[in-house]
Amino acid sequence: MSNNGLRLVWVYPDLLSTYGDQGNALVVERRARQRGLDVQRVDVRSDQPVPTSGDIYLIGGGEDRPQRLAAERLRRDGGLSRAASNGAIIFSVCAGYQILGHEFINDLGEREPGLGLLDVVSTRGEGARCVGDVLADIDPQLGLEPLTGFENHQGVTHLGPTARPFARVRFGRGNGTGDGTEGAYNDTVFGTYMHGPVMARNPQIADHLLKLALDVNALPPTDDRWYEALRSERIAAATQPA
């Protein structure tokens, strides 16, 4: 974190912000301010350069054509890749998650290069679309509570040897591979298919990103009653028979 406070970068809200994913930026910003942190939030549109001096970068989901445009511009710009090389924390959702991988299938049915920040490859599934509430257990190494979210994707994401599954599903489809994995991460780069927005449902993830940015093991407590009520409601919904 710089001397000027925490820099939170919301990447391409004009292209990648479906299913309320911008709420992730709002939650991270709010939970930082609740701890008395000075936060500078930067919303970077797709016609603007991505700054390399951010601490936390958030990327949301999007439809197929905006996803292709976002991938093209992020490759050409190079700012997000340079920020990752500098050790920045990056958290991505759905289309943003696929963009961080090696490649995905674009709206033209072609293989589209990603940024290669996660060792994953995404294809397009042939079966039923993955839609509905999800409940999953986050990798125990991260020490976080169960993951709750909403998935809506046709993508199938395969993990390579250097990517760890972010979570393993109890209910839902996750990466769509049939192996129970959901999302992926490697060091400070994270990807998930979970909308919700995922930070509102899982504030412990927002806190985890803040701890990584601050290089601390714990944060002062906050009033989480609203979040816990939402979590309880959505976890119950995920476990109800269809």
Side-chain angles (χ1 to χ4, degrees), residues 5-75:
L6 186 79
R7 293 198 76 196
L8 174 63
V9 182
W10 175 239
V11 178
Y12 292 1
D14 54 328
L15 294 177
L16 301 174
S17 186
T18 59
Y19 302 112
D21 288 335
Q22 190 169 3
N24 293 333
L26 296 173
V27 171
V28 174
E29 182 180 14
R30 174 172 173 78
R31 293 185 73 79
R33 294 192 186 281
Q34 286 178 315
R35 275 60 180 251
L37 297 174
D38 181 20
V39 184
Q40 178 188 3
R41 177 174 154 186
V42 181
D43 289 8
V44 180
R45 294 178 61 85
S46 59
D47 60 350
Q48 299 173 318
V50 177
T52 60
S53 57
D55 297 297
I56 299 174
Y57 293 76
L58 300 174
I59 313 173
E63 296 179 353
D64 291 348
R65 184 172 182 274
Q67 180 187 22
R68 171 169 57 87
L69 295 175
E72 291 172 352
R73 295 174 189 186
L74 286 170
R75 290 197 309 269

Side-chain angles (χ1 to χ4, degrees), residues 15-16 62-72 75 95 98-99 103-113 122-124 129 154:
L15 294 177
L16 301 174
E63 296 179 353
D64 291 348
R65 184 172 182 274
Q67 180 187 22
R68 171 169 57 87
L69 295 175
E72 291 172 352
R75 290 197 309 269
Q98 293 185 359
I99 288 172
E103 66 177 40
F104 60 92
I105 304 300
N106 65 22
D107 58 309
L108 304 176
E110 302 168 343
R111 293 181 178 180
E112 182 77 27
S122 297
T123 59
R124 187 165 295 167
R129 190 174 181 85
Q154 191 70 40

Side-chain angles (χ1 to χ4, degrees), residues 1 14 21 25 37 40 48 64 70 74 85 97 109 115 121 131 140 161 166 174 198 215 226 229-230:
M1 190 175 75
D14 54 328
D21 288 335
L37 297 174
Q40 178 188 3
Q48 299 173 318
D64 291 348
L74 286 170
S85 297
Y97 168 34
L115 301 184
V121 171
V131 182
F166 182 55
V198 68
D215 194 21
W226 181 90
L230 175 62

Side-chain angles (χ1 to χ4, degrees), residues 22-242:
Q22 190 169 3
N24 293 333
L26 296 173
V27 171
V28 174
E29 182 180 14
R30 174 172 173 78
R31 293 185 73 79
R33 294 192 186 281
Q34 286 178 315
R35 275 60 180 251
L37 297 174
D38 181 20
V39 184
Q40 178 188 3
R41 177 174 154 186
V42 181
D43 289 8
V44 180
R45 294 178 61 85
S46 59
D47 60 350
Q48 299 173 318
V50 177
T52 60
S53 57
D55 297 297
I56 299 174
Y57 293 76
L58 300 174
I59 313 173
E63 296 179 353
D64 291 348
R65 184 172 182 274
Q67 180 187 22
R68 171 169 57 87
L69 295 175
E72 291 172 352
R73 295 174 189 186
L74 286 170
R75 290 197 309 269
R76 185 168 61 245
D77 176 80
L80 187 62
S81 295
R82 290 193 295 274
S85 297
N86 294 335
I89 296 108
I90 303 175
F91 190 92
S92 59
V93 175
C94 203
Y97 168 34
Q98 293 185 359
I99 288 172
L100 293 194
H102 297 301
E103 66 177 40
F104 60 92
I105 304 300
N106 65 22
D107 58 309
L108 304 176
E110 302 168 343
R111 293 181 178 180
E112 182 77 27
L115 301 184
L117 301 182
L118 280 173
D119 186 15
V120 303
V121 171
S122 297
T123 59
R124 187 165 295 167
E126 299 296 330
R129 190 174 181 85
C130 302
V131 182
D133 275 288
V134 174
L135 180 63
D137 296 307
I138 294 177
D139 187 338
Q141 289 195 11
L142 297 175
L144 300 176
E145 298 174 17
L147 173 71
T148 170
F150 178 82
E151 62 181 350
N152 185 352
H153 63 95
Q154 191 70 40
V156 175
T157 298
H158 301 269
L159 277 59
T162 66
R164 293 183 62 88
F166 182 55
R168 294 193 176 273
V169 295
R170 294 191 224 167
F171 301 94
R173 302 276 294 283
N175 285 326
T177 54
D179 62 359
T181 62
E182 200 297 304
Y185 78 100
N186 181 16
D187 197 14
T188 60
V189 180
F190 301 83
T192 180
Y193 274 112
M194 296 300 98
H195 301 281
V198 68
M199 299 294 183
R201 292 195 183 202
N202 306 273
Q204 76 274 11
I205 297 176
D207 289 352
H208 183 69
L209 303 186
L210 291 173
K211 287 188 284 187
L212 288 174
L214 298 169
D215 194 21
V216 297
N217 293 322
L219 295 170
T222 63
D223 184 353
D224 282 346
R225 286 176 292 180
W226 181 90
Y227 295 100
E228 288 305 320
L230 175 62
R231 279 180 57 78
S232 298
E233 173 190 308
R234 299 324 304 165
I235 288 173
T239 57
Q240 292 295 322

